[in-house]
Amino acid sequence: VDESGITLNEIALRAGTTVPTVSKVLNGRSDVSDAMRERVLALVEQSGYTRPARRARAPISGGTIDLVISGVEGSWANHALSGVEAAAAAADLDVIVTVAGKDRSDWVGRLLARRSSGAVLALVSATPRQLATLRGAGIPVVLLDPTSGPTPGVPSVGAANRAGGSAAAEHLLELGHTSIAVIGGRPDHAYSQARIDGFRSALERAGVALPEERIAHADWRRASAADATMHLLETRHPPTAIFACSDTMALGVYEACTVRGVAIPHELSVVGFDDLPEAKWVTPPLTTIRQPVTEMAAAALRMLLRLRTDRSQDTPREELATSVVTRSSTASPDGKSPRDG
Amino acid sequence: VDESGITLNEIALRAGTTVPTVSKVLNGRSDVSDAMRERVLALVEQSGYTRPARRARAPISGGTIDLVISGVEGSWANHALSGVEAAAAAADLDVIVTVAGKDRSDWVGRLLARRSSGAVLALVSATPRQLATLRGAGIPVVLLDPTSGPTPGVPSVGAANRAGGSAAAEHLLELGHTSIAVIGGRPDHAYSQARIDGFRSALERAGVALPEERIAHADWRRASAADATMHLLETRHPPTAIFACSDTMALGVYEACTVRGVAIPHELSVVGFDDLPEAKWVTPPLTTIRQPVTEMAAAALRMLLRLRTDRSQDTPREELATSVVTRSSTASPDGKSPRDG
DNA sequence: TTGTATGCGTTATCAT
DNA sequence: ATGATAACGCATACAA
């Protein structure tokens, strides 16, 4: 069964200690000094000792991992925490919430000080310098929904933004729309661009044009989206449908429609993105592209745990599928409800 | 300095073991059998042992405090985390979120293992045993909104539930209601009782009776509240106003009214408690008593920091004021809107 | 048997 | 001194 013939006893002798102590090291027990632990682990490594395959090993418990996030308020943060926490609990870990904001810029220093064993960076735009520091310190990192696109060399998890944009387009095309506009977020945010690209390419595949003047850029904010909507409605041939790249901006569209007396969905169909809680409370309930934030966060944490043990791996990237949530803000351009057709 | 005179040695003797073993138990070390741990903790509990206040020992993960909470999902948890995080950030601390649920019962062990320097317990019903263990290990604790009332000897922060109940009553009295009912949560929850008590005493002060048959108990659940409302509406002289001790239960009242075709607020005024996000989205928007959860959480953390340095203090208790949020679910019993009078 | 894991006491050490 | 913690090894229990 055991071809190498290495036993705990041999390691113990070479380390100048006894079998139980070596066993404790290998089981992550508490009664071992750092020096001894170090010595034993070195010998274990060079001797190539392998534990005889018995029943599954008890998980090494009692640790923590970090969730670095730009703020804890709001439903996105709540879902992110929820997913990370669930996946962490499965590994018997607690989650340290580290807020990285304007007034808390030295989050890297805090991770280093407490010898973090790994971090999920959620909606945090880390500088190359910061990422290099963490890499240098041997702290593995996974990016969750990076705002500046998949960073080369850094593992990440995101939503299938492109596919989500396409799904929005297909939904509107199915209803018969051909005069369509889109409101993006900040143009320098990669995921805004990905949603727009997916949207446009699906339209073009169906032979529907999306001219430049039908593409507006708000900055993810409700008020800006309301302004953009005003402009779109003022054109000579206003669109019969608008795809807002976030639910928040979709509410801006609602706002503009209220001001202008445009009826949703009969005169204008609206599709959002994210599926925030308020999407189902507004009138009419908003059709939107659901981002599986909780699942994405859980996936990010699991990826992190994988990286913690297996550093050999090449920078992985996971994209989770979005889904269309059909509510009442979309209808056929003739004013019929989606189910009438 | 130490008046009780209890030492680890005494506990060790009574437990039939030695000092180091007892020490291991209180430090969350691994080399202790469950049986021994159990025996020692029992003695710690009954002896009321408290670790002598030396200078704080370095926690395993520096610069952190614990938030122990029953779950991270939902708006209550989100606000609690938000408040704790804000106050922690002010002290340059990160927050470890420790979920204490059915499948994660050993949160105390995790706190001990990582030498937590203090914890806010939010919506966690800690057993006397658990509280004694933490006291013995010298980990200060503050209870946030304890469901079973201020626990003697344990610092806590809560909402002014009694005053909130009174405020609800005064609001309805001002509108001219005299035929009023209340739906409480679980009768064994102290804060449900406090809300009802405050409500009743304000009514009685105004000479309005609240007979027993006008006091219903649901179990904080929407469906139960709907049932209770059905019964209240079936009586010979149905009330013109209902105070539900939580927003969730208020939605149950809405549900019953929809079924019975009772118009809110013209035929029935409804007041909730909590001010959940959906309170402002429902139709009609719900008048409710707002709990300042974020501020309460921040206050709990600040209290914890005070306790960390100054253990001399006697178990403090803080109650934060609630406020009436007037929306559209309340009107005068004649059907006029609140502002018409 | 032999290899491994666990519990607990011994001894040394540290802080007051 | 005394109370408390740290780390090691003995004794034992358990598994192939």
Side-chain angles (χ1 to χ4, degrees), chain B residues 12 52 113 144 263 309 336:
Chain B
L144 176 58
T309 50
K336 289 187 171 181

Side-chain angles (χ1 to χ4, degrees), chain B residues 239-314:
Chain B
T240 62
I242 292 183
F243 168 45
C245 284
S246 80
D247 284 356
T248 307
M249 295 197 297
L251 294 185
V253 177
Y254 274 48
E255 203 174 293
C257 287
T258 304
V259 170
R260 286 302 172 92
V262 172
I264 301 173
H266 302 295
E267 297 174 69
L268 185 74
S269 287
V270 181
V271 178
F273 204 112
D274 287 340
D275 197 21
L276 300 185
E278 49 263 50
K280 68 167 168 293
W281 294 112
V282 291
T283 314
L286 178 68
T287 293
T288 189
I289 309 299
R290 176 169 186 277
Q291 261 199 83
V293 181
T294 309
E295 292 82 352
M296 283 160 54
L301 189 84
R302 284 190 296 266
M303 183 183 287
L304 183 61
L305 295 181
R306 247 176 287 132
L307 289 170
R308 264 203 330 180
T309 50
D310 174 21
R311 311 253 164 138
S312 67
Q313 196 166 353
D314 197 46

